[in-house]
Short mmCIF file of all heavy atoms in Angstrom, two decimals:
data_model
loop_
_atom_site.label_atom_id
_atom_site.label_comp_id
_atom_site.label_asym_id
_atom_site.label_seq_id
_atom_site.Cartn_x
_atom_site.Cartn_y
_atom_site.Cartn_z
N MET A 1 13.39 -12.24 -19.83
CA MET A 1 12.30 -12.96 -19.20
C MET A 1 11.99 -12.29 -17.86
O MET A 1 12.88 -11.99 -17.08
CB MET A 1 12.69 -14.43 -19.00
CG MET A 1 11.59 -15.26 -18.43
SD MET A 1 12.08 -16.98 -18.36
CE MET A 1 10.88 -17.63 -19.46
N THR A 2 10.71 -12.08 -17.56
CA THR A 2 10.32 -11.42 -16.32
C THR A 2 10.09 -12.45 -15.23
O THR A 2 9.83 -13.62 -15.49
CB THR A 2 9.03 -10.61 -16.52
OG1 THR A 2 7.99 -11.51 -16.91
CG2 THR A 2 9.21 -9.54 -17.57
N ASN A 3 10.18 -12.00 -14.01
CA ASN A 3 9.93 -12.87 -12.87
C ASN A 3 8.46 -12.81 -12.51
O ASN A 3 8.02 -11.92 -11.79
CB ASN A 3 10.78 -12.46 -11.67
CG ASN A 3 12.23 -12.79 -11.86
OD1 ASN A 3 12.55 -13.71 -12.61
ND2 ASN A 3 13.11 -12.07 -11.19
N VAL A 4 7.68 -13.73 -13.02
CA VAL A 4 6.26 -13.80 -12.72
C VAL A 4 6.08 -14.87 -11.66
O VAL A 4 6.55 -15.99 -11.82
CB VAL A 4 5.45 -14.17 -13.99
CG1 VAL A 4 3.98 -14.31 -13.66
CG2 VAL A 4 5.67 -13.14 -15.07
N PRO A 5 5.39 -14.52 -10.54
CA PRO A 5 5.20 -15.54 -9.50
C PRO A 5 4.39 -16.71 -10.03
O PRO A 5 3.44 -16.53 -10.78
CB PRO A 5 4.46 -14.80 -8.40
CG PRO A 5 4.00 -13.52 -8.98
CD PRO A 5 4.79 -13.26 -10.21
N MET A 6 4.79 -17.91 -9.64
CA MET A 6 4.11 -19.11 -10.10
C MET A 6 3.07 -19.52 -9.07
O MET A 6 3.27 -19.40 -7.88
CB MET A 6 5.11 -20.23 -10.33
CG MET A 6 6.03 -19.95 -11.51
SD MET A 6 7.32 -21.18 -11.75
CE MET A 6 6.42 -22.67 -11.85
N PHE A 7 1.95 -20.00 -9.55
CA PHE A 7 0.86 -20.46 -8.70
C PHE A 7 0.80 -21.98 -8.81
O PHE A 7 0.50 -22.51 -9.86
CB PHE A 7 -0.46 -19.83 -9.14
CG PHE A 7 -1.64 -20.26 -8.34
CD1 PHE A 7 -1.79 -19.82 -7.04
CD2 PHE A 7 -2.57 -21.11 -8.87
CE1 PHE A 7 -2.87 -20.22 -6.30
CE2 PHE A 7 -3.66 -21.51 -8.14
CZ PHE A 7 -3.81 -21.06 -6.84
N LEU A 8 1.13 -22.65 -7.72
CA LEU A 8 1.14 -24.11 -7.67
C LEU A 8 2.07 -24.71 -8.73
O LEU A 8 1.79 -25.74 -9.31
CB LEU A 8 -0.27 -24.69 -7.84
CG LEU A 8 -1.29 -24.34 -6.77
CD1 LEU A 8 -2.66 -24.87 -7.14
CD2 LEU A 8 -0.86 -24.90 -5.42
N GLY A 9 3.14 -24.01 -9.01
CA GLY A 9 4.10 -24.51 -9.98
C GLY A 9 3.69 -24.32 -11.43
O GLY A 9 4.31 -24.87 -12.32
N LEU A 10 2.61 -23.56 -11.66
CA LEU A 10 2.14 -23.33 -13.02
C LEU A 10 2.59 -21.96 -13.50
O LEU A 10 2.54 -20.98 -12.77
CB LEU A 10 0.61 -23.38 -13.08
CG LEU A 10 -0.03 -24.71 -12.70
CD1 LEU A 10 -1.54 -24.57 -12.68
CD2 LEU A 10 0.39 -25.81 -13.64
N GLY A 11 2.99 -21.88 -14.74
CA GLY A 11 3.36 -20.62 -15.35
C GLY A 11 2.14 -19.92 -15.92
O GLY A 11 1.01 -20.43 -15.88
N MET A 12 2.35 -18.74 -16.48
CA MET A 12 1.25 -17.95 -17.01
C MET A 12 0.57 -18.64 -18.19
O MET A 12 -0.65 -18.63 -18.29
CB MET A 12 1.78 -16.57 -17.42
CG MET A 12 0.68 -15.59 -17.65
SD MET A 12 -0.31 -15.46 -16.19
CE MET A 12 -0.47 -13.72 -16.05
N GLN A 13 1.33 -19.29 -19.05
CA GLN A 13 0.74 -19.97 -20.21
C GLN A 13 -0.18 -21.11 -19.76
O GLN A 13 -1.27 -21.28 -20.30
CB GLN A 13 1.82 -20.51 -21.13
CG GLN A 13 2.51 -19.44 -21.93
CD GLN A 13 3.58 -20.04 -22.85
OE1 GLN A 13 4.27 -20.97 -22.45
NE2 GLN A 13 3.69 -19.49 -24.04
N GLU A 14 0.26 -21.88 -18.80
CA GLU A 14 -0.55 -23.00 -18.33
C GLU A 14 -1.85 -22.51 -17.70
O GLU A 14 -2.91 -23.09 -17.91
CB GLU A 14 0.22 -23.86 -17.32
CG GLU A 14 1.35 -24.66 -17.93
CD GLU A 14 2.66 -23.90 -17.97
OE1 GLU A 14 2.70 -22.73 -17.57
OE2 GLU A 14 3.66 -24.49 -18.42
N ILE A 15 -1.77 -21.43 -16.92
CA ILE A 15 -2.96 -20.89 -16.28
C ILE A 15 -3.94 -20.40 -17.34
O ILE A 15 -5.15 -20.64 -17.24
CB ILE A 15 -2.59 -19.76 -15.29
CG1 ILE A 15 -1.83 -20.36 -14.10
CG2 ILE A 15 -3.83 -19.01 -14.82
CD1 ILE A 15 -1.26 -19.35 -13.15
N LEU A 16 -3.44 -19.71 -18.36
CA LEU A 16 -4.32 -19.24 -19.44
C LEU A 16 -4.98 -20.39 -20.18
O LEU A 16 -6.18 -20.33 -20.50
CB LEU A 16 -3.53 -18.36 -20.42
CG LEU A 16 -3.15 -16.98 -19.90
CD1 LEU A 16 -2.26 -16.27 -20.91
CD2 LEU A 16 -4.38 -16.17 -19.60
N ILE A 17 -4.24 -21.45 -20.45
CA ILE A 17 -4.81 -22.61 -21.13
C ILE A 17 -5.91 -23.24 -20.28
O ILE A 17 -6.98 -23.59 -20.78
CB ILE A 17 -3.71 -23.64 -21.47
CG1 ILE A 17 -2.80 -23.08 -22.56
CG2 ILE A 17 -4.31 -24.97 -21.90
CD1 ILE A 17 -1.55 -23.89 -22.83
N ILE A 18 -5.67 -23.37 -18.98
CA ILE A 18 -6.67 -23.93 -18.07
C ILE A 18 -7.92 -23.06 -18.06
O ILE A 18 -9.05 -23.56 -18.11
CB ILE A 18 -6.09 -24.11 -16.66
CG1 ILE A 18 -5.03 -25.22 -16.68
CG2 ILE A 18 -7.19 -24.41 -15.65
CD1 ILE A 18 -4.22 -25.32 -15.41
N LEU A 19 -7.74 -21.73 -18.01
CA LEU A 19 -8.89 -20.83 -18.01
C LEU A 19 -9.70 -20.94 -19.30
O LEU A 19 -10.93 -20.92 -19.27
CB LEU A 19 -8.43 -19.39 -17.79
CG LEU A 19 -7.91 -19.07 -16.39
CD1 LEU A 19 -7.37 -17.65 -16.34
CD2 LEU A 19 -8.99 -19.28 -15.35
N VAL A 20 -9.04 -21.07 -20.43
CA VAL A 20 -9.74 -21.22 -21.71
C VAL A 20 -10.52 -22.53 -21.73
O VAL A 20 -11.68 -22.56 -22.17
CB VAL A 20 -8.75 -21.14 -22.89
CG1 VAL A 20 -9.40 -21.57 -24.19
CG2 VAL A 20 -8.20 -19.72 -23.02
N ILE A 21 -9.93 -23.60 -21.23
CA ILE A 21 -10.62 -24.89 -21.20
C ILE A 21 -11.85 -24.82 -20.30
O ILE A 21 -12.92 -25.31 -20.65
CB ILE A 21 -9.65 -26.01 -20.76
CG1 ILE A 21 -8.61 -26.25 -21.86
CG2 ILE A 21 -10.41 -27.29 -20.44
CD1 ILE A 21 -7.49 -27.18 -21.46
N VAL A 22 -11.71 -24.19 -19.13
CA VAL A 22 -12.84 -24.04 -18.22
C VAL A 22 -13.95 -23.23 -18.89
O VAL A 22 -15.13 -23.58 -18.81
CB VAL A 22 -12.39 -23.38 -16.90
CG1 VAL A 22 -13.57 -22.94 -16.06
CG2 VAL A 22 -11.52 -24.34 -16.11
N LEU A 23 -13.57 -22.16 -19.57
CA LEU A 23 -14.56 -21.34 -20.26
C LEU A 23 -15.28 -22.14 -21.34
O LEU A 23 -16.51 -22.04 -21.48
CB LEU A 23 -13.88 -20.11 -20.88
CG LEU A 23 -14.78 -19.12 -21.58
CD1 LEU A 23 -15.80 -18.55 -20.61
CD2 LEU A 23 -13.95 -18.00 -22.18
N LEU A 24 -14.56 -22.95 -22.07
CA LEU A 24 -15.18 -23.77 -23.12
C LEU A 24 -16.09 -24.85 -22.54
O LEU A 24 -17.15 -25.14 -23.09
CB LEU A 24 -14.10 -24.41 -24.00
CG LEU A 24 -13.32 -23.46 -24.91
CD1 LEU A 24 -12.20 -24.21 -25.60
CD2 LEU A 24 -14.24 -22.81 -25.93
N LEU A 25 -15.68 -25.45 -21.44
CA LEU A 25 -16.47 -26.53 -20.84
C LEU A 25 -17.75 -26.03 -20.18
O LEU A 25 -18.80 -26.64 -20.31
CB LEU A 25 -15.63 -27.29 -19.81
CG LEU A 25 -14.54 -28.19 -20.36
CD1 LEU A 25 -13.73 -28.79 -19.22
CD2 LEU A 25 -15.11 -29.29 -21.21
N PHE A 26 -17.66 -24.93 -19.43
CA PHE A 26 -18.79 -24.50 -18.62
C PHE A 26 -19.55 -23.31 -19.20
O PHE A 26 -20.68 -23.05 -18.81
CB PHE A 26 -18.32 -24.15 -17.21
CG PHE A 26 -17.78 -25.34 -16.47
CD1 PHE A 26 -16.43 -25.48 -16.26
CD2 PHE A 26 -18.63 -26.33 -16.00
CE1 PHE A 26 -15.92 -26.58 -15.58
CE2 PHE A 26 -18.14 -27.43 -15.33
CZ PHE A 26 -16.77 -27.55 -15.12
N GLY A 27 -18.94 -22.57 -20.09
CA GLY A 27 -19.61 -21.41 -20.66
C GLY A 27 -19.53 -20.21 -19.73
O GLY A 27 -19.32 -20.33 -18.53
N GLY A 28 -19.72 -19.05 -20.29
CA GLY A 28 -19.57 -17.80 -19.54
C GLY A 28 -20.61 -17.61 -18.46
O GLY A 28 -20.36 -16.97 -17.45
N LYS A 29 -21.81 -18.14 -18.65
CA LYS A 29 -22.88 -17.93 -17.67
C LYS A 29 -22.73 -18.80 -16.44
O LYS A 29 -23.20 -18.45 -15.36
CB LYS A 29 -24.24 -18.20 -18.32
CG LYS A 29 -24.57 -17.20 -19.40
CD LYS A 29 -25.93 -17.47 -20.00
CE LYS A 29 -26.22 -16.44 -21.08
NZ LYS A 29 -27.52 -16.66 -21.69
N LYS A 30 -22.09 -19.92 -16.56
CA LYS A 30 -21.98 -20.88 -15.46
C LYS A 30 -20.79 -20.57 -14.54
O LYS A 30 -20.78 -20.96 -13.38
CB LYS A 30 -21.83 -22.28 -16.05
CG LYS A 30 -22.08 -23.39 -15.11
CD LYS A 30 -23.56 -23.55 -14.85
CE LYS A 30 -23.81 -24.85 -14.15
NZ LYS A 30 -25.14 -24.97 -13.66
N ILE A 31 -19.77 -19.87 -15.05
CA ILE A 31 -18.55 -19.64 -14.28
C ILE A 31 -18.79 -18.84 -13.00
O ILE A 31 -18.28 -19.21 -11.95
CB ILE A 31 -17.46 -19.01 -15.17
CG1 ILE A 31 -17.01 -20.06 -16.19
CG2 ILE A 31 -16.28 -18.52 -14.35
CD1 ILE A 31 -16.03 -19.56 -17.21
N PRO A 32 -19.58 -17.73 -13.02
CA PRO A 32 -19.81 -17.01 -11.76
C PRO A 32 -20.46 -17.90 -10.68
O PRO A 32 -20.11 -17.81 -9.51
CB PRO A 32 -20.74 -15.87 -12.16
CG PRO A 32 -20.46 -15.65 -13.59
CD PRO A 32 -20.15 -17.01 -14.15
N GLU A 33 -21.36 -18.78 -11.11
CA GLU A 33 -22.00 -19.69 -10.16
C GLU A 33 -20.97 -20.66 -9.56
O GLU A 33 -20.99 -20.93 -8.36
CB GLU A 33 -23.11 -20.47 -10.87
CG GLU A 33 -23.89 -21.40 -9.99
CD GLU A 33 -24.97 -22.13 -10.77
OE1 GLU A 33 -25.54 -21.55 -11.71
OE2 GLU A 33 -25.22 -23.30 -10.42
N LEU A 34 -20.08 -21.16 -10.40
CA LEU A 34 -19.03 -22.05 -9.92
C LEU A 34 -18.11 -21.35 -8.93
O LEU A 34 -17.71 -21.92 -7.91
CB LEU A 34 -18.21 -22.59 -11.09
CG LEU A 34 -18.92 -23.55 -12.03
CD1 LEU A 34 -18.07 -23.81 -13.26
CD2 LEU A 34 -19.24 -24.85 -11.32
N MET A 35 -17.77 -20.10 -9.22
CA MET A 35 -16.88 -19.33 -8.34
C MET A 35 -17.55 -19.04 -7.00
O MET A 35 -16.91 -19.08 -5.95
CB MET A 35 -16.44 -18.02 -9.00
CG MET A 35 -15.54 -18.23 -10.21
SD MET A 35 -14.01 -19.07 -9.78
CE MET A 35 -14.23 -20.64 -10.57
N ARG A 36 -18.86 -18.73 -7.03
CA ARG A 36 -19.58 -18.51 -5.77
C ARG A 36 -19.56 -19.78 -4.92
O ARG A 36 -19.36 -19.74 -3.72
CB ARG A 36 -21.03 -18.09 -6.05
CG ARG A 36 -21.20 -16.61 -6.22
CD ARG A 36 -22.67 -16.22 -6.20
NE ARG A 36 -23.41 -16.75 -7.34
CZ ARG A 36 -23.47 -16.19 -8.54
NH1 ARG A 36 -22.82 -15.08 -8.76
NH2 ARG A 36 -24.16 -16.75 -9.51
N GLY A 37 -19.79 -20.91 -5.57
CA GLY A 37 -19.76 -22.19 -4.84
C GLY A 37 -18.39 -22.47 -4.26
O GLY A 37 -18.27 -22.93 -3.12
N ALA A 38 -17.34 -22.17 -5.02
CA ALA A 38 -15.98 -22.38 -4.52
C ALA A 38 -15.71 -21.45 -3.35
O ALA A 38 -15.09 -21.84 -2.36
CB ALA A 38 -14.97 -22.15 -5.64
N GLY A 39 -16.18 -20.21 -3.44
CA GLY A 39 -15.99 -19.24 -2.35
C GLY A 39 -16.69 -19.69 -1.08
O GLY A 39 -16.14 -19.58 0.02
N LYS A 40 -17.90 -20.21 -1.23
CA LYS A 40 -18.63 -20.71 -0.06
C LYS A 40 -17.90 -21.91 0.56
O LYS A 40 -17.85 -22.05 1.78
CB LYS A 40 -20.05 -21.12 -0.45
CG LYS A 40 -20.94 -19.93 -0.72
CD LYS A 40 -22.33 -20.38 -1.13
CE LYS A 40 -23.20 -19.19 -1.47
NZ LYS A 40 -24.55 -19.59 -1.91
N GLY A 41 -17.35 -22.75 -0.28
CA GLY A 41 -16.60 -23.91 0.23
C GLY A 41 -15.36 -23.49 0.99
O GLY A 41 -15.06 -24.02 2.06
N VAL A 42 -14.63 -22.51 0.45
CA VAL A 42 -13.43 -22.02 1.13
C VAL A 42 -13.80 -21.37 2.45
O VAL A 42 -13.15 -21.57 3.47
CB VAL A 42 -12.66 -21.04 0.22
CG1 VAL A 42 -11.57 -20.31 0.98
CG2 VAL A 42 -12.07 -21.77 -0.97
N ARG A 43 -14.89 -20.58 2.44
CA ARG A 43 -15.33 -19.92 3.66
C ARG A 43 -15.72 -20.95 4.73
O ARG A 43 -15.37 -20.82 5.90
CB ARG A 43 -16.52 -19.01 3.36
CG ARG A 43 -16.86 -18.08 4.49
CD ARG A 43 -17.97 -17.08 4.13
NE ARG A 43 -17.72 -16.44 2.84
CZ ARG A 43 -18.56 -16.51 1.80
NH1 ARG A 43 -19.68 -17.19 1.89
NH2 ARG A 43 -18.28 -15.90 0.67
N ALA A 44 -16.44 -22.00 4.33
CA ALA A 44 -16.83 -23.05 5.27
C ALA A 44 -15.59 -23.76 5.83
O ALA A 44 -15.54 -24.08 7.02
CB ALA A 44 -17.75 -24.05 4.59
N PHE A 45 -14.60 -23.99 4.99
CA PHE A 45 -13.37 -24.63 5.44
C PHE A 45 -12.66 -23.76 6.46
O PHE A 45 -12.21 -24.24 7.50
CB PHE A 45 -12.45 -24.90 4.24
CG PHE A 45 -11.15 -25.54 4.61
CD1 PHE A 45 -11.08 -26.88 4.93
CD2 PHE A 45 -9.98 -24.79 4.64
CE1 PHE A 45 -9.89 -27.47 5.27
CE2 PHE A 45 -8.78 -25.36 4.99
CZ PHE A 45 -8.73 -26.70 5.30
N LYS A 46 -12.55 -22.45 6.18
CA LYS A 46 -11.89 -21.53 7.12
C LYS A 46 -12.64 -21.49 8.45
O LYS A 46 -12.02 -21.48 9.52
CB LYS A 46 -11.82 -20.12 6.53
CG LYS A 46 -10.78 -19.95 5.47
CD LYS A 46 -10.74 -18.51 5.00
CE LYS A 46 -9.67 -18.28 3.97
NZ LYS A 46 -9.65 -16.87 3.53
N ASP A 47 -13.97 -21.43 8.40
CA ASP A 47 -14.76 -21.42 9.62
C ASP A 47 -14.53 -22.69 10.43
O ASP A 47 -14.41 -22.66 11.65
CB ASP A 47 -16.25 -21.25 9.31
CG ASP A 47 -16.58 -19.86 8.79
OD1 ASP A 47 -15.75 -18.94 8.96
OD2 ASP A 47 -17.67 -19.71 8.20
N GLY A 48 -14.48 -23.82 9.74
CA GLY A 48 -14.21 -25.09 10.42
C GLY A 48 -12.84 -25.12 11.05
O GLY A 48 -12.66 -25.61 12.18
N MET A 49 -11.85 -24.58 10.36
CA MET A 49 -10.49 -24.54 10.93
C MET A 49 -10.43 -23.63 12.15
O MET A 49 -9.76 -23.96 13.14
CB MET A 49 -9.48 -24.07 9.87
CG MET A 49 -9.26 -25.07 8.76
SD MET A 49 -8.65 -26.67 9.35
CE MET A 49 -7.07 -26.21 9.99
N LYS A 50 -11.13 -22.50 12.12
CA LYS A 50 -11.18 -21.60 13.28
C LYS A 50 -11.83 -22.30 14.47
O LYS A 50 -11.38 -22.17 15.60
CB LYS A 50 -11.95 -20.33 12.95
CG LYS A 50 -11.20 -19.37 12.09
CD LYS A 50 -12.03 -18.13 11.82
CE LYS A 50 -11.35 -17.21 10.83
NZ LYS A 50 -12.19 -16.04 10.50
N GLU A 51 -12.89 -23.05 14.19
CA GLU A 51 -13.59 -23.77 15.25
C GLU A 51 -12.69 -24.82 15.89
O GLU A 51 -12.64 -24.95 17.11
CB GLU A 51 -14.85 -24.43 14.68
CG GLU A 51 -15.71 -25.10 15.72
CD GLU A 51 -16.97 -25.67 15.11
OE1 GLU A 51 -17.57 -25.02 14.24
OE2 GLU A 51 -17.34 -26.78 15.52
N VAL A 52 -11.96 -25.56 15.07
CA VAL A 52 -11.04 -26.58 15.59
C VAL A 52 -9.94 -25.93 16.42
O VAL A 52 -9.59 -26.40 17.50
CB VAL A 52 -10.44 -27.41 14.43
CG1 VAL A 52 -9.29 -28.27 14.91
CG2 VAL A 52 -11.51 -28.27 13.79
N THR A 53 -9.40 -24.82 15.91
CA THR A 53 -8.34 -24.12 16.64
C THR A 53 -8.86 -23.60 17.97
O THR A 53 -8.18 -23.74 19.00
CB THR A 53 -7.81 -22.93 15.79
OG1 THR A 53 -7.36 -23.45 14.54
CG2 THR A 53 -6.68 -22.23 16.49
N THR A 54 -10.07 -23.04 17.99
CA THR A 54 -10.66 -22.53 19.22
C THR A 54 -10.90 -23.66 20.21
O THR A 54 -10.61 -23.53 21.40
CB THR A 54 -11.98 -21.80 18.92
OG1 THR A 54 -11.73 -20.76 17.98
CG2 THR A 54 -12.57 -21.19 20.17
N ASP A 55 -11.41 -24.79 19.71
CA ASP A 55 -11.65 -25.95 20.58
C ASP A 55 -10.34 -26.45 21.18
O ASP A 55 -10.28 -26.79 22.36
CB ASP A 55 -12.34 -27.07 19.81
CG ASP A 55 -13.79 -26.77 19.51
OD1 ASP A 55 -14.35 -25.83 20.11
OD2 ASP A 55 -14.37 -27.48 18.66
N ASN A 56 -9.27 -26.51 20.37
CA ASN A 56 -7.99 -26.98 20.87
C ASN A 56 -7.43 -26.03 21.92
O ASN A 56 -6.87 -26.46 22.92
CB ASN A 56 -6.99 -27.13 19.73
CG ASN A 56 -7.23 -28.35 18.90
OD1 ASN A 56 -7.91 -29.28 19.34
ND2 ASN A 56 -6.73 -28.36 17.69
N GLU A 57 -7.59 -24.72 21.70
CA GLU A 57 -7.11 -23.74 22.69
C GLU A 57 -7.88 -23.85 23.98
O GLU A 57 -7.31 -23.77 25.07
CB GLU A 57 -7.21 -22.33 22.12
CG GLU A 57 -6.21 -22.05 21.03
CD GLU A 57 -6.40 -20.70 20.37
OE1 GLU A 57 -7.38 -19.99 20.71
OE2 GLU A 57 -5.59 -20.37 19.49
N ASN A 58 -9.21 -24.08 23.89
CA ASN A 58 -10.03 -24.22 25.09
C ASN A 58 -9.65 -25.48 25.86
O ASN A 58 -9.61 -25.48 27.09
CB ASN A 58 -11.51 -24.25 24.74
CG ASN A 58 -12.02 -22.88 24.29
OD1 ASN A 58 -11.40 -21.86 24.59
ND2 ASN A 58 -13.12 -22.86 23.57
N ASN A 59 -9.36 -26.56 25.14
CA ASN A 59 -8.97 -27.82 25.81
C ASN A 59 -7.60 -27.67 26.46
O ASN A 59 -7.36 -28.24 27.53
CB ASN A 59 -8.95 -28.97 24.80
CG ASN A 59 -10.34 -29.40 24.42
OD1 ASN A 59 -11.30 -29.16 25.14
ND2 ASN A 59 -10.48 -30.03 23.27
N ASP A 60 -6.69 -26.93 25.84
CA ASP A 60 -5.36 -26.71 26.43
C ASP A 60 -5.47 -25.87 27.69
O ASP A 60 -4.71 -26.08 28.65
CB ASP A 60 -4.44 -26.01 25.43
CG ASP A 60 -4.03 -26.93 24.29
OD1 ASP A 60 -4.20 -28.17 24.43
OD2 ASP A 60 -3.57 -26.42 23.25
N ASP A 61 -6.39 -24.92 27.73
CA ASP A 61 -6.56 -24.06 28.90
C ASP A 61 -7.12 -24.84 30.09
O ASP A 61 -6.83 -24.53 31.25
CB ASP A 61 -7.49 -22.88 28.59
CG ASP A 61 -6.86 -21.89 27.61
OD1 ASP A 61 -5.63 -21.92 27.47
OD2 ASP A 61 -7.61 -21.09 27.01
N LYS A 62 -7.91 -25.88 29.84
CA LYS A 62 -8.54 -26.66 30.90
C LYS A 62 -7.57 -27.63 31.56
O LYS A 62 -7.81 -28.11 32.65
CB LYS A 62 -9.74 -27.43 30.35
CG LYS A 62 -10.88 -26.52 29.95
CD LYS A 62 -12.04 -27.32 29.40
CE LYS A 62 -13.16 -26.37 28.96
NZ LYS A 62 -14.27 -27.10 28.39
N LYS A 63 -6.47 -27.93 30.90
CA LYS A 63 -5.51 -28.91 31.43
C LYS A 63 -4.73 -28.35 32.57
O LYS A 63 -4.34 -27.38 32.85
CB LYS A 63 -4.57 -29.39 30.33
CG LYS A 63 -5.26 -30.28 29.35
CD LYS A 63 -4.28 -30.78 28.32
CE LYS A 63 -4.99 -31.71 27.35
NZ LYS A 63 -4.11 -32.18 26.32
#
């Protein structure tokens, strides 16, 4: 048995099953659109976290 890193506690078989289900539910044409939306959401979250961190650092400097 090989040492395959687990993602969120899921093995390779579980990930493949999830991918097949997503493909069946949304179809091949819809998946790129879903991934773009997820990427935009992650990017917005990261930008928000940077803003909060910057605000906290600025408030600490003023004290």
Side-chain angles (χ1 to χ4, degrees):
M1 183 175 243
T2 61
N3 288 335
V4 177
M6 292 175 55
F7 179 72
L8 297 175
L10 298 175
M12 194 57 134
Q13 286 181 321
E14 290 89 358
I15 292 173
L16 287 174
I17 290 171
I18 291 170
L19 290 175
V20 168
I21 291 172
V22 168
L23 183 61
L24 290 174
L25 288 175
F26 295 106
K29 294 182 180 180
K30 196 75 167 170
I31 291 175
E33 183 180 326
L34 291 170
M35 293 299 111
R36 272 192 294 277
K40 287 179 182 178
V42 169
R43 192 175 312 120
F45 179 76
K46 284 183 178 180
D47 290 343
M49 290 301 295
K50 285 181 186 176
E51 185 177 320
V52 168
T53 303
T54 303
D55 287 346
N56 284 341
E57 289 174 356
N58 288 340
N59 286 339
D60 289 344
D61 291 341
K62 292 179 182 178
K63 288 183 179 179

